[in-house]
Amino acid sequence: MVASMTEPLPPSVSELLADRHKARARYPTNSPSVWQRSRTQPSLLPRLLGRHNLDTPSASLYRIYEFFVLGWNIALRNEFEYFCCSHPDWSVCALHDPADPDPLRYAVLAVLTRLMCASFNRRIDLGLPRDAPAIIVDFEALQARPKVHERIPEWADRVPSLQEPVFIPDAEGNELQEGDPDVSEEFKAMNIIVQMPHIHFV
């Protein structure tokens, strides 16, 4: 298990939506290795060992949050896959509690952990454990392995729903109404009205 590191909190929902182009520009799609890393300042020893670019589960969760708010579905699915498959030792239930003072951002982060579990557990139920190789030689052997499902972090269950509805627009800037069939039920339970993102990558 990767040691817990306290990441700086990501921008607020309103900050991200104020300039989507600027937010997306921080994540060039042709060089994810540049930004798939922790934003914390490493201590002296890791720097001396040349380990200043290590990534963390929290950093990945915060990127998932940003991609979700921006309505950037391809980047969102890619980051789901990265968390799930590139780091099978990153347990969703072990994600550090951000203790976020921003109620909206905290609620979005909590719901995203539920969607991560739904996405990863679907793969696991199909016989694809998180550490499945990219090229599968013996699928029957993978299916025979015990299925270890992901669970949401305890803190995510404690995050309160928002007192008033908040509408997060889609990638084109359009807001859905509460009764729209494309509204995410998971987010609606937290009083957030937003389109259900594409979370599956099988």
Side-chain angles (χ1 to χ4, degrees):
M1 173 59 70
V2 177
S4 174
M5 297 178 69
T6 302
E7 295 286 337
L9 287 165
S12 68
V13 170
S14 59
E15 288 170 334
L16 290 170
L17 295 177
D19 193 339
R20 293 176 190 250
H21 179 74
K22 180 180 178 181
R24 288 179 63 147
R26 294 199 307 271
Y27 301 103
T29 56
N30 61 345
S31 54
S33 60
V34 172
W35 45 262
Q36 282 180 327
R37 62 183 183 181
S38 171
R39 291 166 53 207
T40 60
Q41 179 63 37
S43 60
L44 178 60
L45 181 58
R47 289 204 304 271
L48 292 175
L49 296 174
R51 298 172 58 190
H52 54 281
N53 288 333
L54 291 180
D55 206 356
T56 70
S58 290
S60 182
L61 173 64
Y62 293 169
R63 292 191 297 268
I64 287 171
Y65 154 83
E66 292 194 48
F67 300 153
F68 165 74
V69 172
L70 295 171
W72 194 359
N73 281 321
I74 293 175
L76 177 71
R77 287 200 309 269
N78 287 345
E79 193 68 24
F80 265 52
E81 184 173 8
Y82 168 78
F83 190 111
C84 178
C85 303
S86 297
H87 294 281
D89 59 319
W90 289 358
S91 173
V92 177
C93 70
L95 278 163
H96 178 71
D97 183 355
D100 199 321
D102 180 332
L104 174 55
R105 186 171 53 201
Y106 202 17
V108 171
L109 289 167
V111 176
L112 286 173
T113 67
R114 296 183 183 279
L115 298 186
M116 291 167 71
C117 288
S119 175
F120 301 173
N121 288 343
R122 177 175 179 265
R123 285 176 49 90
I124 292 167
D125 286 337
L126 291 172
L128 293 170
R130 289 187 56 187
D131 62 349
I135 299 175
I136 298 174
V137 177
D138 190 346
F139 186 61
E140 289 185 0
L142 280 180
Q143 285 189 310
R145 286 170 53 177
K147 291 178 170 55
V148 180
H149 291 97
E150 292 292 330
R151 296 176 290 107
I152 67 167
E154 290 184 4
W155 60 263
D157 258 341
R158 298 193 298 266
V159 177
S161 61
L162 304 176
Q163 294 185 350
E164 299 292 334
V166 173
F167 295 80
I168 299 179
D170 63 18
E172 285 72 45
N174 303 311
E175 290 184 357
L176 276 66
Q177 299 306 308
E178 292 188 43
D180 194 295
D182 290 334
V183 167
S184 164
E185 292 299 323
E186 292 83 357
F187 279 100
K188 189 175 180 181
M190 297 292 277
N191 228 357
I192 300 170
I193 311 305
V194 65
Q195 186 175 25
M196 178 64 182
H198 298 287
I199 62 172
H200 299 298
F201 50 91
V202 175

